[in-house]
Amino acid sequence: MATTQADIDREIAREREVYEKSVAKGAPRTHHPDRDYAAYRSSRLRHPKQPLVSVAIRQDPEAVELASPAFGETDVTALDNDLTRQHQGEPLGERITVSGRVLDRSGRPVRGQLIEVWQANASGRYAHQRDQHPAPLDPNFTGVGRTLTRDDGGYSFTSIKPGAYPWRNHTNAWRPAHIHFSLFGSAFTQRLVTQMYFPNDPLFAYDPILQSVTDEAARQRLVARYHHELSQPEWSLGYHWDIVLDGPAATWIEEGR
């Protein structure tokens, strides 16, 4: 029998109850989800089941990769952070500006950090051959962009607000609107991937990916804040979202995925 949304809701509630009870008994709060979170069906099937292998990079820095990636100013163009200007025509949908800062655990800015984003279009469809969601593609929107953080750790993207889409985790499963973020350190092995959500989305409670972050405060840090001062007259609505790389205020990272 197919798994229903009600089944997933019960699993989410059980996980939340177990977590809150453990915290009440003195267990530390956790900011990242379990890799085998049951309600997220594909994660449970593909998460690593063996201990991670330690690589002695200091003794053999080429054991993982021959060279670290080097991203300079000439590699990222002025248009790469504007997803609405990459084609000849205007994309359909609600234009948005997403800005924020990349910070370390002490609140210090992380400069020169490569940020890549990818997302669905306004209809909730990715420009990817494996996406067979019967929603229209937009010939003027590919849904990918990148930028480098400034000296103050700041970044900015102009895009189109993505639509919700079905994803077949269970019957009637729909993902809330979100943008994927990827951040690189000085090497590919330091890559971090996360997702940014939009405030007041009615699908939050039904999404096992977001709900796999069982700590409420950590989950809220994934939701951008509408910022009217970032909105541009006659152009776009503004959202603010900071990314904290580590520490107690860290942004959830999709570890192992």
Side-chain angles (χ1 to χ4, degrees), residues 55-115:
V55 178
I57 296 178
R58 290 184 179 179
Q59 286 75 29
D60 185 6
E62 296 185 352
V64 176
E65 53 188 325
L66 295 178
S68 298
F71 301 102
E73 296 291 345
T74 58
D75 294 312
V76 180
T77 72
L79 293 181
D80 283 351
N81 71 332
D82 189 340
L83 284 67
T84 69
R85 298 173 60 193
Q86 298 172 348
H87 301 277
Q88 293 184 346
E90 292 283 344
L92 298 174
E94 177 185 311
R95 189 181 288 108
I96 60 174
T97 300
V98 178
S99 299
R101 300 175 71 199
V102 178
L103 307 168
D104 67 13
R105 65 184 301 149
S106 300
R108 295 172 298 196
V110 181
R111 65 179 297 275
Q113 178 74 205
L114 177 70
I115 303 178

Side-chain angles (χ1 to χ4, degrees), residues 164-190:
Y165 60 82
W167 64 299
R168 298 180 180 177
N169 182 73
H170 53 276
T171 302
N172 206 21
W174 290 82
R175 297 268 9 249
H178 60 279
I179 298 177
H180 298 268
F181 276 70
S182 167
L183 293 90
F184 282 96
S186 60
F188 282 111
T189 53
Q190 298 172 351

Side-chain angles (χ1 to χ4, degrees), residues 16 19-20 23 29-32 197 210-224 241-242 244 247-252:
R16 186 79 52 79
Y19 173 74
E20 294 297 342
V23 170
R29 291 193 172 275
T30 57
H31 305 285
H32 298 290
Y197 298 84
L210 178 59
Q211 295 301 324
S212 69
V213 184
T214 49
D215 188 78
E216 175 67 20
R219 195 164 56 252
Q220 288 302 318
R221 291 197 292 272
L222 295 174
V223 182
W241 192 57
D242 289 338
V244 182
T251 303
W252 168 55

Side-chain angles (χ1 to χ4, degrees), residues 114-153:
L114 177 70
I115 303 178
E116 297 177 330
V117 296
W118 64 97
Q119 63 168 91
N121 65 19
S123 299
R125 185 168 179 181
Y126 288 94
H128 192 283
Q129 62 181 0
R130 292 185 62 184
D131 189 345
Q132 299 300 310
H133 173 33
L137 289 168
D138 188 339
N140 295 311
F141 189 76
T142 307
V144 295
R146 60 180 184 164
T147 191
L148 292 172
T149 56
R150 304 184 297 270
D151 288 345
D152 65 350

